[in-house]
Amino acid sequence: MRFDDSLKTILSADATTGFGAQSAWRQLVDLAGRRRIADIDAAIARLGMLRGSVPVAVRAASGRALAFANPPALLVGFFAEDDLAIAAPVLRTATLAADDWVALLPRLSPAGRSVLRHRRDLPAPVVRALESFGSTDFVIHHQPGADASVAPAAAPVVAPPIPANDAVPVRPDAPLSETPFVPLGTVTRGLPVVAEALRRHEAGSPPTPGANGFVISDLVARIDAFNRTRPEPGEAAPVVSPPAEGFRFETDAAGVIRWVEGGGRAALVGVGLARASSYGPVRIDATAGGALRRRADFDDARLEVDGQSDAAGSWRLSGTATFEPRTGRFSGFRGVGRRPRRDQSATPPVPVPAGGADSLRQLVHELRTPTNAIAGFAELIGSELLGPVSPAYRERAQSIHAQATDLIGAIEDLDTAARIESGALELRPTTIDLVPLIARIVADLAPLAAIRGVALAVEPVTQPLQIVGDDRAVERLLSRLAAALVAAGGNGERIGVTMLADPPVVAIRFDRPHALRVADDAALLSLDGDGDAAGAPLLGTGFALRLARNLAAELGGGLSIAADGLTLRLPMAVDRSVGQASIN
């Protein structure tokens, strides 16, 4: 099925209200970012009209959404002219031709060009063009209101004054034959590079006056000496400090290094330990990230620091989890960093190959927009908001809406799996009451259980059970696992659900349907499922179980498969009054 995303329809929509402006903005950015608009100039013009009516948060979200699209150069330039929080996500991920980047650089602010300087995938002509801006971008301008008592690091460069006898008035309309001769020394002394060369010249050798007030050969020699000692644009001065042999560090509750003692402060402060990633010249593996999710100690996490600072090179990090004495809440890590021994490997983590999880997330981005459009239009037709509809067409629209909703759920599952694989899944732990959540999931699955003839029976629990985890991720985990088991059940079959406190975790056990007992663990996780059966997972039973297992691991728990049941274990909430795991 093909869709015609018409620019004319969007341009004719009502954008006078705040909601209308935001809706038109999102649609135009999405279509232009995926190169679905032929008249890109008209789209950019309308975006310029809407920018003042769209909040910064909405514009920033649109910029982040372009990370997995292929925006054209005009759209990248449009976002690059906005605030840095909006422009930075686009500048970090956009892929343009070298000529387009070079043409865009003069329109960027110094902060925008600094974002591009941290990229390592730009073509060589673009890197050279960025270097040409170094002398301009790296100038520290005086800010109004600064403390006047603080002396500047160096005196400002001031060009020598031009002698009064050299100043000859010239009429603007005078012919070339009447234009007086201006000495070359008078002209060149006004150039910044000449002024800097004169300032650096030794005080004991003043220039020898000539017929025109200045000797050209002496001036050329000074310029040449200045150019030999001046660093190239963007080139950092070499660091002469000796390499550090060790350091101590502390992190906050999110795993971000906030304090360093012993060396490497500039390179290490601000580095996050939550997952394996790269922070500019600093790279870290996943050892510390796994310990952060478990709130446990870790040893020998690999750290690689590029550059010429005293922290450059390979490190091994070891940290101890710390907790607040009064509340028992996790407060971060305290640890040390040391150089690796000779018998230890210090190679950096292997980067995720291009075309893997990132390609899957880009595919999800391409699928989500048209699927949402199908569901939206089907809902409009089924609810007769566009006018009366015959019962037959209304029934078909409702069927299309239901199938599109199922497809959206499968797309979200793919997105979750891709985020887990690439280490980009963001979790916000909260305390979750397990019993009401299970009851809500069972109620949602009641229609499917009735179709399959399956009884989903939850054993009563006498005490409240609380777990720690991201509420949306936990609900997705439990609903997908329960739906896969119900869909595999047969007519008259009973699937029991038992919840039990087993500190420091809560165990949730599901009976294994008879249809899934014939396969061992490996075969069970590779089942494709029956796509034609009512309620069967669109991506297969094996995919649903693998997603549940991986998501449980991300939440700090696990999924175990036995001959007659599946047991899901999730971290139990901590009773802050006593500082230990509790069922209350």
Side-chain angles (χ1 to χ4, degrees), residues 293 413 416-421 425 427 473 477 525 542-560 568 570:
R293 290 190 293 270
D413 288 345
T416 302
R419 289 178 183 273
I420 293 175
E421 182 180 350
L425 182 65
L427 300 175
L477 166 61
L525 295 175
F543 178 86
L545 296 179
R546 291 195 304 273
L547 177 64
R549 181 191 60 182
N550 296 340
L551 192 53
E554 290 291 321
L555 291 168
L559 176 66
S560 59
L568 178 65
L570 296 175

Side-chain angles (χ1 to χ4, degrees), residues 371 404-414 476 480 538-539:
T371 308
T405 303
D406 293 340
L407 181 57
I408 291 174
I411 292 173
E412 295 297 335
D413 288 345
L414 283 174
R476 177 178 295 274
R480 293 298 186 269
L538 294 181
L539 301 176

